[in-house]
């Protein structure tokens, strides 16, 4: 039986938590990450982190040495971890209709981090898979946990061919529910925290995957932890509970049947670029 967190207990059976939601957090500037971790720990909520090596307000990037103790603590708390690509690499277009007749599948990619941030690049499927693995390998070192064989493409931007290429190297893609878009990327002037909280509490349903970030550069009034804590409290009051993607019915068989096989570098790896 799957184990999830529900209410104030640390681990209870799924029989006591039959209406889970799946909170996922993508990396960001990390300015609010310590406060978010405090909220999660206080309410005994486990989440799934999707991590890339992004620029941070302090330190050497989200997966750098500065933030290593933070990630180690999250690993000890039992959260789940998965790749967000190493260079926070946005898919822009498919460049061939392969693979067929020996053609090599290629993609137009635009990283927002790393040595080639902001440039339009052409990557093969292997290049993309290598970038996925690089983030996963680093997460394994930082958290002491085996990362899930899952990934989230930055911005959620994909194509069927990109998803197929990632599956061929062991990664299934994870998006989010429409109601699970928590709005922390939106401008706070037009979408204030109170409005985002009200909408989320009204629309989120059991089974939804929720998505927010560990800090958004462009939002003036930070979404977290201002919305995070009342959202958790409010969803629990509605009888919902929180689980990681390890328990999600669409992914748990994939996770069990396709564990990642990764090298374990002991130091921060260089970018593939």
């Amino acid at each position: 039986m799957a184990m999830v967190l529900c209410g104030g207990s640390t681990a209870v059976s799924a029989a006591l938590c039959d209406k889970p939601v799946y909170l996922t957090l993508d990396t960001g500037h990390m300015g609010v990450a310590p406060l978010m971790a405090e909220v999660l720990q206080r309410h005994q909520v486990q989440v799934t982190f999707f991590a890339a090596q992004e620029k941070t307000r302090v330190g050497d990037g989200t997966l750098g040495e500065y933030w290593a103790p933070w990630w180690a603590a999250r690993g000890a708390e039992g959260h789940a971890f998965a790749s967000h690509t190493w260079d926070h690499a946005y898919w822009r277009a498919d460049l061939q209709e392969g693979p067929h007749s020996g053609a090599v599948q290629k993609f137009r990619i635009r990283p927002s981090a790393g040595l080639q941030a902001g440039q339009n690049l052409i990557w093969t499927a292997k290049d993309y898979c290598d970038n996925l693995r690089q983030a996963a390998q680093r997460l394994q070192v930082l958290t002491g946990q085996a990362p899930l064989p899952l990934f989230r493409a930055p911005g959620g931007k994909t194509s069927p061919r990109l998803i197929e290429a990632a599956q061929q190297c062991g990664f299934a893609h994870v998006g989010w529910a429409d109601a699970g878009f928590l709005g922390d990327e939106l401008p706070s002037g037009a979408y204030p925290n109170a409005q985002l909280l009200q909408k989320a509490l009204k629309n989120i349903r059991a089974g939804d995957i929720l998505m927010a970030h560990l800090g958004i550069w462009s939002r003036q009034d930070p979404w977290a932890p201002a919305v995070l804590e009342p959202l958790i409290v409010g969803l629990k009051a509605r009888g919902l509970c929180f689980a990681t993607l390890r328990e999600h019915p669409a992914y748990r068989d994939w996770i069990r049947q396709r564990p990642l096989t990764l090298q374990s570098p002991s130091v921060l790896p260089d970018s593939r670029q």
Side-chain angles (χ1 to χ4, degrees):
M1 180 175 291
M3 305 300 286
V4 298
L5 294 179
C6 188
S9 64
T10 56
V12 296
S13 72
L16 299 178
C17 183
D18 59 356
K19 295 195 293 182
V21 293
Y22 305 87
L23 178 57
T24 66
L25 297 175
D26 297 355
T27 41
H29 61 57
M30 300 295 281
V32 295
L35 293 174
M36 293 175 74
E38 290 177 9
V39 171
L40 297 176
Q41 180 67 1
R42 180 159 56 248
H43 293 279
Q44 291 294 285
V45 166
Q46 286 186 329
V47 306
T48 304
F49 292 97
F50 288 92
Q53 169 63 341
E54 299 185 64
K55 178 182 177 182
T56 50
R57 285 185 173 174
V58 295
D60 52 345
T62 46
L63 297 178
E65 290 300 323
Y66 181 92
W67 289 98
W70 189 90
W71 288 109
R74 306 293 78 77
E77 291 165 357
H79 298 283
F81 308 92
S83 179
H84 197 32
T85 75
W86 177 257
D87 292 307
H88 203 250
Y90 284 87
W91 170 88
R92 302 298 295 272
D94 296 336
L95 296 183
Q96 285 188 324
E97 293 188 0
H100 61 80
S101 301
V104 175
Q105 180 67 62
K106 296 181 181 179
F107 308 97
R108 181 172 290 114
I109 300 291
R110 188 180 178 90
S112 68
L115 297 177
Q116 292 180 291
Q119 298 183 35
N120 289 317
L121 308 176
I122 296 176
W123 283 6
T124 64
K126 181 181 183 302
D127 293 331
Y128 195 85
C129 286
D130 287 347
N131 215 253
L132 289 173
R133 289 194 188 95
Q134 193 168 354
Q137 287 168 349
R138 182 60 176 167
L139 280 167
Q140 182 168 281
V141 171
L142 292 174
T143 67
Q145 305 295 326
L148 303 181
L150 306 175
F151 81 106
R152 172 170 291 149
K157 298 183 182 300
T158 63
S159 71
R161 292 191 182 94
L162 184 76
I163 290 175
E164 181 181 5
Q167 288 177 341
Q168 290 298 315
C169 60
F171 294 87
H173 186 254
V174 179
W176 53 85
D178 288 344
F181 177 73
L182 298 176
D184 63 332
E185 299 173 76
L186 301 173
S188 54
Y191 300 91
N193 284 334
Q195 177 182 324
L196 294 178
L197 174 62
Q198 182 181 24
K199 180 180 179 181
L201 290 174
K202 176 182 178 182
N203 294 332
I204 289 171
R205 298 291 182 267
D208 283 349
I209 295 175
L210 318 182
M211 187 275 294
H213 298 80
L214 299 173
I216 291 291
W217 291 93
S218 60
R219 189 172 175 86
Q220 292 185 333
D221 185 13
W223 178 90
V227 178
L228 179 61
E229 189 153 27
L231 177 64
I232 290 171
V233 172
L235 291 178
K236 285 185 176 182
R238 288 179 45 202
L240 300 175
C241 54
F242 292 83
T244 72
L245 292 175
R246 286 184 292 248
E247 290 83 42
H248 195 288
Y251 300 107
R252 59 193 175 201
D253 287 344
W254 176 278
I255 291 168
R256 183 176 65 254
Q257 296 169 7
R258 297 171 176 85
L260 290 177
T261 301
L262 300 170
Q263 297 175 350
S264 298
S266 59
V267 297
L268 182 66
D270 293 331
S271 167
R272 65 167 292 281
Q273 303 159 348

